Amino acid sequence: MIQCFTHQKMAQFIGAASLAGCFFLPSGANAATSEWVTSPGGMIRLVAAQPKEDGTIPATLEVKLNPGWKTYWREPGASGIPPQVTLDPAGDVELEKIGFPVPKTFDDGVVRYIGYDRPVAFPLTLKRVHGSGDVTIRASVFLGICEDICIPVQGELTLAIKQGGFDNPLDGARIDDAVAALPEAPSADFSVTASRYDADKALMHLSVRLPADDKDPELFLAGPSGISFGKPEIQPAGDKALNAAVPVRLTGKDRELKGKPIVLTVRAQGRSMETTLAFD
């Protein structure tokens, strides 16, 4: 049985949920991909290419959402479940990083959350652990998908890569497209120009140079466990720039922002930029 939750109840579920609570159901498979696994709101699979000389394996986690359904970003909000990928520790491959395309903000009047309402692919930075030859990737994927209700789901995905085997060009293009959709690095025309944290008011102040004037730029922030962020208050700051004040909530044992990496993603004029902030 699949358990279903409103956004308000999701946070209570997360703390007590067993990862075995909700499972996808498998369907067919293609070369250089795992089997698709399905839930009421969509489908997921792994796509991977041949290992490179340095052991890096280009890969993505593909999430196909049914119309009207959503899934979450790395910092989903108060009651969401970010995508989590855990590789078999006894396997041939380690996960070094998950990449996140720029998301959207959703607000149903009760809960504000951040995620995606269209099919999305998360690039994975994988690295083979040792040796050469064939590689088997075994991954447990846990994420949340929502329509009017939210469903926490888990899928067990397996993908075998034969050394010297044929890579489907379409799968390679999917991986390339997923990487190309990631936010760009800071540049001369798109970057953070100032940042500071007011601990007394629990506000982060940011100044950002934009590539062009934008009436509706969006900011998204994510930090380590115990740090969350409220809705940014954004103000234009002259030509191609903005200032933002972001409420910060510290709920862990260590209630300091100092030294903790904060990931900032900015969307403006059809472009997106991502950088890591650190506060002294």
Side-chain angles (χ1 to χ4, degrees):
M1 178 181 295
I2 293 176
Q3 292 178 277
C4 302
F5 298 83
T6 63
H7 283 104
Q8 295 92 325
K9 293 183 179 179
M10 178 65 77
Q12 297 175 355
F13 173 85
I14 293 171
S18 164
L19 293 184
C22 294
F23 289 87
F24 288 98
L25 302 174
S27 63
N30 292 308
T33 70
S34 72
E35 293 184 336
W36 280 111
V37 291
T38 64
S39 81
M43 308 166 65
I44 64 170
R45 69 174 179 177
L46 290 177
V47 180
Q50 287 285 324
K52 297 183 178 181
E53 290 186 4
D54 65 356
T56 300
I57 302 173
T60 66
L61 171 66
E62 287 191 359
V63 181
K64 283 192 175 181
L65 296 169
N66 293 337
W69 288 78
K70 304 174 183 68
T71 194
Y72 294 100
W73 188 55
R74 70 172 97 210
E75 175 56 64
S79 59
I81 302 175
Q84 301 168 39
V85 179
T86 304
L87 296 192
D88 180 0
D92 304 323
V93 180
E94 293 178 339
L95 173 65
E96 295 185 341
K97 183 180 179 181
I98 303 177
F100 289 84
V102 64
K104 295 172 62 176
T105 299
F106 302 93
D107 192 334
D108 62 11
V110 178
V111 177
R112 178 179 173 271
Y113 58 102
I114 299 169
Y116 309 90
D117 59 357
R118 296 181 180 180
V120 60
F122 302 100
L124 307 178
T125 302
L126 303 180
K127 195 76 174 281
R128 73 181 308 157
V129 177
H130 50 71
S132 59
D134 299 346
V135 176
T136 299
I137 303 170
R138 297 183 181 90
S140 175
V141 177
F142 186 51
L143 50 81
I145 57 174
C146 296
E147 191 184 33
D148 296 325
I149 55 175
C150 285
I151 303 172
V153 287
Q154 181 182 8
E156 305 296 328
L157 306 178
T158 300
L159 187 156
I161 304 174
K162 299 293 183 181
Q163 184 177 26
F166 173 72
D167 273 348
N168 185 331
L170 293 178
D171 293 331
R174 291 185 180 98
I175 295 171
D176 290 344
D177 288 346
V179 172
L182 293 177
E184 62 193 71
S187 59
D189 69 337
F190 202 178
S191 63
V192 176
T193 56
S195 61
R196 66 179 179 87
Y197 177 58
D198 184 336
D200 292 335
K201 296 182 179 180
L203 283 176
M204 182 185 300
H205 295 277
L206 303 172
S207 297
V208 180
R209 178 183 295 113
L210 302 176
D213 288 330
D214 191 322
K215 293 182 179 179
D216 273 314
E218 288 191 274
L219 273 62
F220 311 94
L221 292 107
S225 177
I227 302 176
S228 60
F229 304 92
K231 181 179 179 180
E233 295 294 332
I234 299 173
Q235 297 291 334
D239 186 35
K240 301 179 183 178
L242 66 79
N243 292 329
V246 186
V248 179
R249 302 184 185 96
L250 301 172
T251 57
K253 292 182 180 180
D254 177 10
R255 305 217 170 180
E256 292 284 342
L257 199 62
K258 180 179 179 180
K260 296 181 173 65
I262 306 299
V263 177
L264 169 69
T265 304
V266 184
R267 182 211 300 270
Q269 283 297 316
R271 289 171 61 184
S272 60
M273 179 274 295
E274 188 167 286
T275 189
T276 299
L277 306 173
F279 297 89
D280 296 330

